Amino acid sequence: MNGRHHPIEGQTPPQSDLPSKHKRLYASYIRAMAAFAVVQMHAIGGYLYWYGKDAAALHPQFVVADLYYAHLRWATPFFIMISGALLLSSRREETLGAFLKRRMRRVLIPFAFWGGIYLLYLFREQLLYGPMPTWSQVSHKIFYEDIYFHLWFIPMIAGLYLLTPVLKLWVKATDRRHLEYFLIIVFISNAAHLYLPNLLIIKHFSWFGYIGYYLLGYYLSYYSPAPQVKRWIYVSALFMPFLSAWLTWWLSAQKGEYYDIAFVYASPNVVLMTSAWFLFLREYSWERFAQRYSWLHRKILRIAEVSFGVYFIHPLVLDVLKNGYLGVRIEPHYFLFSNVPIAMGGLLTGIVAFLVSALLVELLHRWSFGRNWLT
């Protein structure tokens, strides 16, 4: 990006090189895009399980969902990467206790609230018509499952927050070469554990989890690859969605049912696509975009502000729309009152669910408690 200083080999990136206003701007655009992409993925993702339905391995619903998913798998890693980019580079001076209190409050209180909402929704029929759910059923959902499919993200990011004070000290003290070495080890071991799970050295070397994406967000915020390397990354990344879609179909064909290993975030094809897209957005001149499209810029900033709440609420909105609880059904193959092609219906369903989710979170934001504690 114009005017940006790139640390040279062996230097620790100076903390003053990334003005907070600039950080917030690029981060806001990434958050807004990631929020919409997550809703879009979940709007159509269920159709991946149509693989092989009615003896049709290439069922149209599966093919469309496969292509949608393949192009959007960067969405959730973006949230992890932007957290790592901003928290690990933060100049804020605070005690360990103050940092943990602030970050944990930010995620655990909304998690408790929305977890309760989703528990009520999951057990709605039993609560209305009986028999009442047992404590064993409820506690198992709370302590041993994700409560609802998307809520896995909160315990994961909370774990990264616990490591942040240590990681922050490390990235300030290390240089580019050692950071690259660690990232290579993380992503190679994660990919090997995914595709070669029984390999002896890999089998007991899988504790890295999502720390790679967390550090990768920081790395790409400070170190821009050489132009020739960047071109290779971008060109290669263009093929990754199609490779992901083909691999998912081919591996599913081998297994005889939908098999999602090529969509797992540790898969190299997803890592490369995510890294390239993040790098491009990180280095894009959003200041110029904001000046040229000021009205759109304001909307995007507002979307970024409600993105956390949108992440929490959108599966509930999607399910309500799918079941027609509001008087109309909206889902990828049936929009309002007519059947539609799934490619168009999937996009429309994602847009409607996103807008409804954003509107509901906006209403919560007008309540100070909702704005400060729930979203």
Side-chain angles (χ1 to χ4, degrees):
M1 188 174 293
N2 292 337
R4 181 182 171 204
H5 169 80
H6 299 298
I8 61 175
E9 184 69 39
Q11 285 188 342
T12 300
Q15 298 295 303
S16 59
D17 284 346
L18 210 57
S20 60
K21 179 180 178 182
H22 178 73
K23 290 198 299 184
R24 286 195 299 270
L25 186 57
Y26 97 91
S28 294
Y29 276 81
I30 287 178
R31 282 197 188 100
M33 293 180 192
F36 178 75
V38 165
V39 177
Q40 187 65 69
M41 274 200 308
H42 292 160
I44 202 168
Y47 292 91
L48 288 165
Y49 294 92
W50 282 52
Y51 179 87
K53 189 172 182 179
D54 301 325
L58 286 178
H59 199 288
Q61 272 80 347
F62 167 79
V63 173
V64 173
D66 189 24
L67 288 170
Y68 264 78
Y69 238 62
H71 283 82
L72 297 172
R73 289 304 283 170
W74 46 266
T76 300
F78 265 22
F79 284 119
I80 304 170
M81 293 171 73
I82 204 64
S83 293
L86 299 184
L87 290 179
L88 294 177
S89 64
S90 174
R91 296 188 297 270
R92 178 183 292 203
E93 296 293 335
E94 58 186 337
T95 65
L96 177 63
F99 171 82
L100 293 177
K101 180 180 179 181
R102 181 168 59 88
R103 298 314 305 180
M104 292 302 162
R105 188 191 74 170
R106 181 76 180 91
V107 295
L108 295 185
I109 293 177
F111 178 60
F113 172 78
W114 290 106
I117 295 294
Y118 280 102
L119 278 174
L120 292 174
Y121 190 71
L122 284 171
F123 292 112
R124 62 191 182 279
E125 292 189 4
Q126 289 175 260
L127 293 171
L128 288 172
Y129 308 112
M132 294 293 287
T134 65
W135 167 245
S136 176
Q137 289 176 305
V138 174
S139 62
H140 192 274
K141 275 285 180 186
I142 294 173
F143 297 111
Y144 297 102
E145 298 182 26
D146 294 323
I147 301 181
Y148 217 73
F149 70 87
H150 68 308
L151 293 180
W152 67 269
F153 181 86
I154 305 303
M156 180 276 299
I157 201 69
L160 290 175
Y161 289 163
L162 290 174
L163 292 175
T164 295
V166 176
L167 292 175
K168 187 176 178 180
L169 291 174
W170 179 69
V171 296
K172 287 176 67 176
T174 195
D175 59 18
R176 179 173 185 167
R177 185 179 299 276
H178 285 85
L179 183 54
E180 287 173 344
Y181 168 75
F182 187 76
L183 287 170
I184 290 170
I185 293 296
V186 168
F187 284 112
I188 287 179
S189 64
N190 281 346
H193 189 264
L194 185 65
Y195 287 97
L196 302 168
N198 295 317
L199 187 64
L200 182 61
I201 193 172
I202 294 300
K203 186 162 54 174
H204 306 293
F205 200 58
S206 60
W207 56 271
F208 286 120
Y210 292 93
I211 196 172
Y213 278 115
Y214 199 60
L215 287 168
L216 183 62
Y218 170 85
Y219 175 82
L220 293 177
S221 293
Y222 276 112
Y223 300 109
S224 183
Q228 63 271 23
V229 175
K230 195 183 302 182
R231 283 194 294 271
W232 179 86
I233 292 173
Y234 287 155
V235 171
S236 300
L238 290 175
F239 295 96
M240 290 304 104
F242 303 101
L243 176 62
S244 299
W246 179 82
L247 274 174
T248 299
W249 165 77
W250 185 77
L251 292 169
S252 297
Q254 308 305 305
K255 199 173 179 66
E257 60 183 1
Y258 169 55
Y259 189 46
D260 68 347
I261 194 170
F263 284 154
V264 174
Y265 297 126
S267 193
N269 48 299
V270 176
V271 174
L272 180 56
M273 176 181 66
T274 302
S275 301
W277 185 221
F278 185 93
L279 181 62
F280 174 79
L281 295 175
R282 176 64 186 84
E283 298 195 342
Y284 187 79
S285 179
W286 294 113
E287 294 90 344
R288 188 180 307 167
F289 180 91
Q291 292 171 0
R292 187 171 182 179
Y293 305 102
S294 57
W295 63 274
L296 182 57
H297 170 68
R298 290 192 295 272
K299 298 296 183 185
I300 290 173
L301 291 186
R302 191 57 194 157
I303 289 171
E305 289 181 17
V306 301
S307 61
F308 193 46
V310 167
Y311 186 87
F312 275 118
I313 202 172
H314 77 272
L316 182 60
V317 171
L318 282 168
D319 205 64
V320 167
L321 293 174
K322 180 186 73 174
N323 287 297
Y325 292 150
L326 301 179
V328 292
R329 276 177 55 209
I330 294 178
E331 53 185 323
H333 67 276
Y334 188 87
F335 193 81
L336 296 179
F337 302 103
S338 59
N339 294 314
V340 293
I342 187 175
M344 180 179 69
L347 178 61
L348 292 174
T349 299
I351 291 172
V352 171
F354 180 80
L355 292 176
V356 172
S357 299
L359 176 61
L360 292 173
V361 177
E362 184 68 44
L363 292 175
L364 277 173
H365 270 215
R366 297 189 179 189
W367 176 34
S368 60
F369 183 81
R371 180 174 60 254
N372 295 326
W373 296 94
L374 304 182
T375 58

